[in-house]
Amino acid sequence: RELPKMPRISDIFHIRRAPSLDLNAQEVVASGGINYVGCSAKPNGVTARISSAALNYVGSPGEITVALVGATLEAFVQPEPFVCTQNVNILTPIDPEMTLSEKLWWCMCIRHNAYRYSYGRKANRTFANIELPAAVPAWVNSTAEGVINGYAAPLTPNLISTRDHTE
């Protein structure tokens, strides 16, 4: 018996890379600004908030970011506008009706492939071809909306703390 073909990430999402934006060339701010997504497992992959002045590319809320190195295949639905470092892919659902619950489920599925990239292997070239389950389970969209919204929200409103360097 032939099993149904498993879709690849590129069958479910449009994949793109934002222009590379190095954090050390940006102005880090304590409040305001825009989320800077790095190759991190920190909340939503956000490693800093930076001044939004002179940014030529900003990702949209609801898009998924996936780290390709470092915290490989950490995937997050971004709740706010954001910019990225290099080696982060941005996923936009091909189906514009995809729910937040479904996006979070796909993030979990993507994360479960991280073992393929241990020992220094990068996901850059093979990312689009990672196979995913054939369908979203029915329970995903029946999950309580409050649970999903709580999972998608940043852990704290101010993700970045500043230090007083005047010791």
Side-chain angles (χ1 to χ4, degrees):
R1 188 180 107 181
E2 190 175 332
L3 294 174
K5 182 181 180 225
M6 295 181 71
R8 295 183 168 142
I9 290 177
S10 60
D11 296 328
I12 300 168
F13 297 98
H14 297 290
I15 304 168
R16 70 183 189 285
R17 284 235 187 130
S20 179
L21 191 65
D22 293 327
L23 182 58
N24 63 358
Q26 305 305 313
E27 178 188 353
V28 176
V29 295
S31 62
I34 190 166
N35 287 342
Y36 180 87
V37 177
C39 295
S40 173
K42 288 184 179 186
N44 288 17
V46 176
T47 56
R49 289 190 67 87
I50 63 171
S51 171
S52 58
L55 294 175
N56 60 0
Y57 175 84
V58 176
S60 300
E63 291 183 309
I64 296 171
T65 56
V66 183
L68 301 177
V69 298
T72 304
L73 295 191
E74 282 295 331
F76 300 99
V77 178
Q78 295 301 322
E80 299 177 20
F82 63 93
V83 293
C84 297
T85 187
Q86 62 186 357
N87 293 316
V88 172
N89 275 348
I90 300 170
L91 309 181
T92 306
I94 291 173
D95 175 8
E97 302 298 317
M98 185 180 289
T99 66
L100 175 59
S101 299
E102 291 169 336
K103 290 176 188 177
L104 291 169
W105 187 77
W106 288 119
C107 286
M108 180 192 68
C109 293
I110 291 168
R111 280 188 203 111
H112 279 286
N113 283 278
Y115 72 93
R116 299 172 187 269
Y117 302 98
S118 58
Y119 305 108
R121 289 188 292 261
K122 296 180 182 178
N124 294 348
R125 290 184 293 163
T126 58
F127 177 75
N129 295 320
I130 293 173
E131 292 181 337
L132 297 174
V136 176
W139 62 263
V140 170
N141 282 314
S142 65
T143 303
E145 193 65 28
V147 171
I148 294 298
N149 285 337
Y151 179 75
L155 295 179
T156 61
N158 297 319
L159 294 174
I160 306 304
S161 63
T162 57
R163 294 184 193 170
D164 181 5
H165 294 286
T166 58
E167 298 177 17

